[in-house]
Amino acid sequence: MDLKSIRAKKDELARYMLKEITYICQNLGKRDPGSEGEKQACEYMAKVLKEKCGCEKVSVESFEENPGSFYGWIYITITCCFLAFAAFMAGLAAGIAALYAVAIVLIVFGLALAVFQFGMYKKTVDFLFPKKTGHNVTAIKKCSGETKRRLIFNGHPDAAWEWPVNYALGGVGFESHAIICALGAVYVIVISAIALAGNADPILLKKLGLGTIAFMPFWVGLYFMWNKHRVVDGANDNLSGCYMGIAVLKALKDAGIELENTELGVVLSGSEEAGLRGAKAWCEAHKGEFDDVPTFIFSYDTIHDPKQLMVNYRDLNGTVKADKDVSDLFLEAAQDLGIFCKTGMVPPLGGATDSAAFAQAGFRATGVTGLNHKLESYYHTRKDTYTNMDLKGLADCYEVSVRALEMFDDGAKQ
């Protein structure tokens, strides 16, 4: 179907998105994972999807989670680093070689916890943290005839806790801090292994041990990597992603356009900032429900800079592969319109989009982002406000999304 008429309204729809995002930021509660504010945002957008977008089926769904675990592992891992240092120095003082082995075990345990909980988003230590209730939204707009294909637009309604180091020093400072902490942990492993071998001079070992003190300020700083008392507005990350699909469906409804064989959906998956918990819960709740026809998912996250519009062919710190056909569809739509869009991935230390959770559960999905993965100063900081949004970035992504829908409706990808 020709949707050129609603593509032409991209600037109008970008302003609509900004207006709605501003309303949510100004009038609803803070949207940290599992909060009342996250629930309020889900309920508000569910109402918009039903009343303004023509979705016949709209539901707000709850799920249990332990959001404090996503950064709470830091306290365990860094404490292990300090205990390992203490074990090393005690072993040196008492001449007990077994304490060097204890130091190595403590560091390995702490690093493994970081990899599983933060690097792979596993629920490794979730049980140690308080339970909360998160919320998702599922909205479906039926087609007028037989359903032959389905396209789902996804975004996450929750917002992040602030990262103080990124706010103060930017992405280079934030990532350098994390890397130095990791190097300090590896350093303790190395000197403990040297001591355990039993051939090193005790004076040299003492000097090496005291060298660990150089890393300790960074370890202490990591205890404060996140400020759980300040939740950012999350206008870009990620109300922009939520409203991308809402804008497309609203434009179709306002124009009186009904697709004959393509069913549309909007899924708002909560608590992404707690480790894709909402998307994981949604996949479990809807397992097999959308297997009847080819179903593609565009998962949008932080649509801001038009010079950074990107299709992420890999996700979750580069460990999860996105669906190639879904990724290619969005990229080809951008190329057809002459709109800048590059290919890439969510790199190590870059985190993830909800696309990763969908892909892991067997759904065909890709992540679309509009930010520099080297971490902008507004990323997870108080600078992520409705006054710091880019209308062109929103408009370009919207136009590409509509063109991708046109191509998908015409059977370009299945």
Side-chain angles (χ1 to χ4, degrees):
M1 177 175 286
D2 184 357
L3 299 178
K4 186 176 181 180
S5 62
I6 68 167
R7 281 195 279 117
K9 295 183 177 181
K10 65 177 185 177
D11 293 330
E12 176 186 333
L13 270 299
R15 290 191 294 272
Y16 164 76
M17 285 186 256
L18 178 57
K19 180 181 178 182
E20 285 286 291
I21 290 168
T22 300
Y23 174 84
I24 291 176
C25 291
Q26 288 183 334
N27 296 281
L28 304 186
K30 292 295 186 180
R31 307 185 318 280
D32 47 309
S35 67
E36 181 63 24
E38 180 191 67
K39 179 183 178 184
Q40 290 173 354
C42 285
E43 291 173 341
Y44 175 79
M45 288 185 280
K47 184 178 180 181
V48 170
L49 284 160
K50 188 173 184 64
E51 296 180 357
K52 305 294 185 181
C53 302
C55 293
E56 297 88 356
K57 178 184 176 183
V58 181
S59 59
V60 178
E61 306 155 5
S62 62
F63 59 91
E64 287 190 347
E65 60 174 327
N66 310 77
S69 66
F70 191 61
Y71 295 121
W73 63 269
I74 293 172
Y75 306 134
I76 303 172
T77 295
I78 297 303
T79 299
C80 284
C81 290
F82 281 110
L83 290 175
F85 169 74
F88 176 87
M89 297 305 290
L92 196 60
I96 303 175
L99 288 174
Y100 303 138
V102 170
I104 293 174
V105 170
L106 284 167
I107 295 291
V108 170
F109 173 77
L111 291 178
L113 187 58
V115 169
F116 284 105
Q117 190 74 34
F118 192 67
M120 300 173 66
Y121 288 28
K122 299 291 186 181
K123 299 180 180 180
T124 312
V125 294
D126 283 37
F127 67 95
L128 296 175
F129 295 85
K131 279 188 179 181
K132 289 191 175 182
T133 301
H135 291 84
N136 295 327
V137 175
T138 303
I140 299 296
K141 176 70 177 74
K142 297 179 180 178
C143 49
S144 60
E146 178 188 357
T147 301
K148 295 183 179 180
R149 63 193 71 84
R150 182 181 296 107
L151 181 60
I152 294 175
F153 303 100
N154 166 253
H156 70 83
D158 60 305
W161 300 279
E162 184 169 64
W163 288 359
V165 175
N166 195 43
Y167 176 68
L169 303 177
V172 173
F174 178 84
E175 292 185 350
S176 297
H177 181 202
I179 290 170
I180 291 171
C181 287
L183 289 175
V186 173
Y187 178 82
V188 174
I189 290 179
V190 171
I191 63 174
S192 297
I194 293 173
L196 197 59
N199 300 319
D201 176 50
I203 296 176
L204 174 62
L205 286 176
K206 183 177 181 180
K207 290 180 178 180
L208 290 173
L210 292 175
T212 307
I213 295 173
F215 295 101
M216 289 186 177
F218 298 95
W219 287 351
V220 171
L222 207 59
Y223 277 120
F224 305 97
M225 190 199 94
W226 65 308
N227 181 359
K228 60 184 176 182
H229 300 297
R230 179 184 285 274
V231 181
V232 306
D233 282 350
N236 292 282
D237 184 14
N238 182 38
L239 290 178
S240 66
C242 294
Y243 267 91
M244 199 55 59
I246 291 174
V248 174
L249 268 67
K250 182 180 186 299
L252 289 168
K253 185 176 186 299
D254 289 348
I257 297 174
E258 295 280 343
L259 301 180
E260 184 178 358
N261 301 117
T262 302
E263 184 174 274
L264 298 177
V266 171
V267 172
L268 308 178
S269 41
S271 300
E272 188 266 2
E273 303 293 0
L276 315 183
R277 295 306 188 239
K280 289 175 180 288
W282 187 89
C283 290
E284 292 177 8
H286 295 273
K287 184 177 181 180
E289 187 175 332
F290 299 108
D291 292 345
D292 53 335
V293 295
T295 298
F296 284 12
I297 302 176
F298 289 145
S299 186
Y300 302 96
D301 203 324
T302 316
I303 307 303
H304 179 80
D305 189 347
K307 299 186 295 297
Q308 296 291 342
L309 186 61
M310 177 188 291
V311 181
N312 294 270
Y313 279 72
R314 298 194 71 86
D315 214 309
L316 188 53
N317 298 304
T319 64
V320 174
K321 187 177 180 181
D323 186 278
K324 186 177 185 301
D325 287 337
V326 184
S327 303
D328 287 349
L329 174 61
F330 193 90
L331 181 64
E332 290 167 12
Q335 293 172 339
D336 183 69
L337 295 172
I339 291 177
F340 177 84
C341 183
K342 57 186 177 180
T343 63
M345 69 174 184
V346 182
L349 295 182
T353 74
D354 280 326
S355 166
F358 297 128
Q360 288 176 322
F363 288 90
R364 303 181 68 182
T366 195
V368 177
T369 54
L371 82 163
N372 190 333
H373 285 314
K374 292 181 180 179
L375 301 189
E376 301 283 0
S377 63
Y378 66 85
Y379 185 72
H380 288 194
T381 75
R382 67 196 72 178
K383 296 179 182 179
D384 186 4
T385 69
Y386 55 87
T387 59
N388 181 28
M389 299 193 74
D390 192 308
L391 285 172
K392 179 171 171 51
L394 293 172
D396 282 357
C397 187
Y398 164 84
E399 187 177 9
V400 175
S401 299
V402 176
R403 181 60 185 139
L405 171 57
E406 281 183 290
M407 295 169 68
F408 186 60
D409 187 56
D410 290 339
K413 298 284 184 182
Q414 298 293 324

